Amino acid sequence: MPRPERKTITFSIDGREVEAAEGTMLVDAAKLGDVEIPVFCYEPKLGAPVGACRMCLVEIEGIPKLQAGCATPVKDGMVVHTQTDKVREAQNSVVEFLLVNHPLDCPVCDKGGECPLQDISYGWGRGRSRMVEPKRHFEKPLALSPLIAIDRERCILCYRCVRFSQEVSEDYQLVLQERGAESFVATFDGHPYVAPFSGNIIELCPVGALTSQPYRFRARPWDIEQSGSVCNLCPGQCNVSYTVRDDRVLRVLGRDHAEVDDGWLCDRGRFAYQAMHVDERITSPMVRDGGVLREVTWERALEEASKALGRAKGGVGAIAGGSTTNEEGFLLQRMVRDALGSPHIDSRASGTLPVGLHAALSAPATQATVPDVEFAHAVLVLDTELVDDMPILDLRVRKGVRRNGLKLAVATSRPSSLDANAAAVARFAPGAGEAFVAALDAALAGGEVAALAAAAGAEEDAVRALADLLRGAGEDIVIVWGERLTHGERGAQAAQALLKVGSRLNPNPHPGAGLLEVPAGANSRGLREVGVLPGIGPGLTAADAGLDTPGIAAAAAAGDLPALYLLHTDPLRDLPDRATWEAALERASTVIAHGAFLTEGLRDYATVIFPTEPPAAKEGTLTHTDGRLQRMRQAIGHPGDSRAEWQVLAELSRRVGLDQQVLTAPMVFAQITAAVPFYAGITLDAIGGTGVRWPVTDAASAWPAGDGAPIALDAPAAAASPNGKLRVGTFRSVWAAPEVEASPALKFLAPKQRAELAPADAERLGIGHGERVLVGGVPAIAHLRTGTPEGSVFLEEGIEAAPAAAITDPLAEVTKA
Amino acid sequence: MLLPEDLDLSYDFDTMAKAGSMLGSGAIIVVDDTNKVVDVALKLAKFYKHESCGKCSPCREGTNWTVKMLQRIDEGVATPMDLDILSSVQDQIMGNCLCVLGDAMAMPLSSMVKKFRGEFEEHIELARTRNPYPDEVAA
Ligand code: SF4
Ligand code: SF4
Ligand code: FES
């Protein structure tokens, strides 16, 4: 449903005339007149107000009883008072009631010093206690989960945490047990509250009832500083604030950005900060010496690396991982291209797209934004599992469906956690995205669907139902599509099919509708725009043709590329086709890597390792998938011997013969805006704390014209027919990340390889839930999941002990181990 | 709460409100003079505490606190000063809740304390003499 338009009205509060949008809740409207109305339960992020705590009572002329300011929409001509005796009496009363059962824990409570209950008691309470009876008692603290401690005595029963679980993350685990004064917060079944977004309730709780287990008793508000940055763990790029004490990050809080994260964080972004300070982290440069990696001086490591690169010259293949900043990517591509004369550089996992397709897929005119997802008439989630690939967007889709009447269509291979919210769901065979989109295109055009649906391994009726839903929903349709759709050899054809469906659903490009990519890496879009693609330079200009990622692997495995430069990526962890990569890493005489942890590719093959600085030590820009340039700001010093990586790249570049003339990170950014025409005129100051969406700046006109949608699509590749075997699909869980394994608090969530099977397939194969199986030789635990399409098996990517990337065939045999 | 002299009033919302009572659902509870007012108050408060859904704080905490205070009065761990707190708590509930359940306790309780203050005070004195530890609130 499109954003509602609201007219401006005038009302009076405490004698001030204030203008506000009609329908704004009084507590928010009051702020516009610099009047503060205290609240506990009101939190607009949670949806409609509940009016439970009664802290916000105000007097409105013409209404005899006091009204809850959080639940009263402001109207034209309303006369409101917040300073009368009656209001003050009510505020004093509510504070007193809330303290009836609240313990005097402040000296030992984590919330002390940053506690709304303290502040409001001080500001709006009577300042003395008349209650002499015993308060209620609970055993405390209890572990609500390994990440969250609950102290039920401190709870003021504001409902925030329960509403979050029920109405925002929709994990439906938290409830209020019992009733009245006996109420307490718990999970419905007494099991730990483990969910991808659980940590948000810590920040929501207005008292110290919910505290972070890893942060408990680590600091007091007067010991710490907050420092704003951006999370670089996934394409969500949530705005975060690091809590820093003595140069260590002790906590991560959200830094509400309505157009990026809506004020939430996922648990990976919230708790993986621990990985910044663990002993396993690489904090000094290393060189392989006599077969063993040893810590060495910077001089030695830079010398080794520059000599090896100098020897390899044109024979260098460079790959940048998704967390690489624009600055690092820009410096890397200049070094590789201009200093070493090698065109082989890529940031995509698999396969190239011609520049015209990149230009069309991200064209400003059809670029949907994150908030568009919430306000569209319909959203198609295509070939991506949001809770894993871009967790924060999952919440946005749920919000749209729940609060704005958004119609949701889901088309994926693997059952999606959004299925339950969708008005139409279609499944297709793993890897058959192209055929599926072609079938959808045919259904939208009223053409022949059956054959294409069969090629996609999809049900014709489901494709048609999806098409009907999208066609009939309204003019604002957003397609949220996963980058993996355009991976592989036929990625370009799949992209063309996607563009065609896109232009059918949005024949007249307009704001509020279009395409929104879920890229594979946090800064994939930025890396493409600053030129980290083979044959495509900064600003999508033409560059010398070079090998893409699979090409680099094959060439290195064949002995044609003596040097590999791996910036923030371990191919054995992150990339498909493990066998080729193993051969490539083995064969290359030089493997230079920037890494934070000694994952196996680095441990076994790297010849030089430069430490990856922790995200909180990083300075640089990222480009969000909807085109928003955001800044990562340095919050802590570089631990150990580590250095800023832009500096390392600049120094290395100088040593191999190209002085890039940069002395600071902002100087690199200035070079980027000079080289990328559609970033022209954007300054770091303008980006500031909230970012700048370049597609809405004047410079956007410099975006190159994209390939139009084709008239006719190629016949798509058909999904392999299982023939006794099963089709292999893979996915990357939100928890499959080295920083999860390295964070003591999150470690328990690090996934083990499991094979998701349809119960019918499992029965046919005689496999039971929880049994050990081999999928094409990869060991896994069988996980029977209803909804999994028959004929397919799904494995998790990024698991070191049982790598799904070892399987290269589209089909595999599943046997008992 | 109405006294015998109020029995002649007409049974409508306005008159009842003026007399310091509340028509509510229209039910009438008749209490004869063999009952102790403290017992009646406690029973009433316990009922509302049990019925309170717990959503809004004045009702949830107000009914709960009221029960605790009346129990103290009953057990002889109170002073006449507590009656002032008791009625002030009723005033704090009234009109501040999400629904009228809290008001439905606060109205009669507050008029009970007003109209039977003497009996309350007498009860407090008597109960204190029976209690060996009249100044210790049980934890
Ligand atoms: S635990 Fe915190 S957020 Fe949840 S109801 Fe209690 S006070 Fe509110
Ligand atoms: S959703 Fe992504 S960007 Fe946001 S906190 Fe989680 S990992 Fe970080
Ligand atoms: S903030 Fe309005 S009732 Fe809680």
Side-chain angles (χ1 to χ4, degrees), chain A residues 135-156:
Chain A
K135 300 182 180 235
R136 55 182 207 155
H137 285 296
F138 287 100
E139 200 183 321
K140 71 183 220 174
L142 295 172
L144 186 61
S145 81
L147 297 169
I148 305 167
I150 184 167
D151 181 324
R152 297 195 168 112
E153 294 182 350
R154 295 181 191 157
C155 171
I156 58 165

Side-chain angles (χ1 to χ4, degrees), chain A residues 27 37-43 49-57 68-71 158 160, chain B residues 57 98:
Chain A
V27 292
I37 301 174
V39 301
F40 284 115
C41 67
Y42 181 60
E43 171 50 75
V50 287
C53 72
R54 316 305 287 170
M55 192 62 234
C56 61
L57 292 172
C70 71
C158 71
R160 286 182 174 210
Chain B
S57 14
L98 199 56

Side-chain angles (χ1 to χ4, degrees), chain A residues 155-161 185 204-207 209-210:
Chain A
C155 171
I156 58 165
L157 296 166
C158 71
Y159 285 74
R160 286 182 174 210
C161 53
V185 171
L204 279 173
C205 184
V207 297
L210 299 170

Side-chain angles (χ1 to χ4, degrees), chain A residues 197 231-238 240 264-270 390-392:
Chain A
F197 302 98
C231 175
N232 72 343
L233 297 179
C234 95
Q237 292 187 12
C238 298
V240 295
W264 311 120
L265 295 180
C266 76
D267 284 1
R268 176 157 58 135
R270 185 179 299 278
M390 187 167 167
I392 214 67

Side-chain angles (χ1 to χ4, degrees), chain A residues 50-54 57 65 93 96-98 100-101 126 130-134 156-157 159 179-182, chain B residues 49-50 52-58 60-62 64-65 68-69 72 88 92-93 95-98 137-138:
Chain A
V50 287
C53 72
R54 316 305 287 170
L57 292 172
K65 275 179 48 164
S93 305
E96 179 168 45
F97 283 137
L98 289 175
V100 160
N101 272 318
R126 258 186 223 110
R130 301 185 293 171
M131 152 102 180
V132 296
E133 288 77 10
I156 58 165
L157 296 166
Y159 285 74
R179 198 174 70 168
E182 260 78 64
Chain B
K49 180 197 165 187
H50 184 257
S52 168
C53 79
K55 191 164 171 178
C56 76
S57 14
R60 179 186 67 239
E61 304 297 345
N64 168 49
W65 189 7
K68 285 182 176 169
M69 278 189 283
R72 260 195 312 121
S88 133
Q92 295 193 170
I93 298 172
N96 291 343
C97 301
L98 199 56
V137 181

Side-chain angles (χ1 to χ4, degrees), chain A residues 94-113:
Chain A
V94 174
V95 168
E96 179 168 45
F97 283 137
L98 289 175
L99 294 178
V100 160
N101 272 318
H102 194 83
L104 275 174
D105 268 1
C106 300
V108 292
C109 175
D110 257 11
K111 199 82 174 180

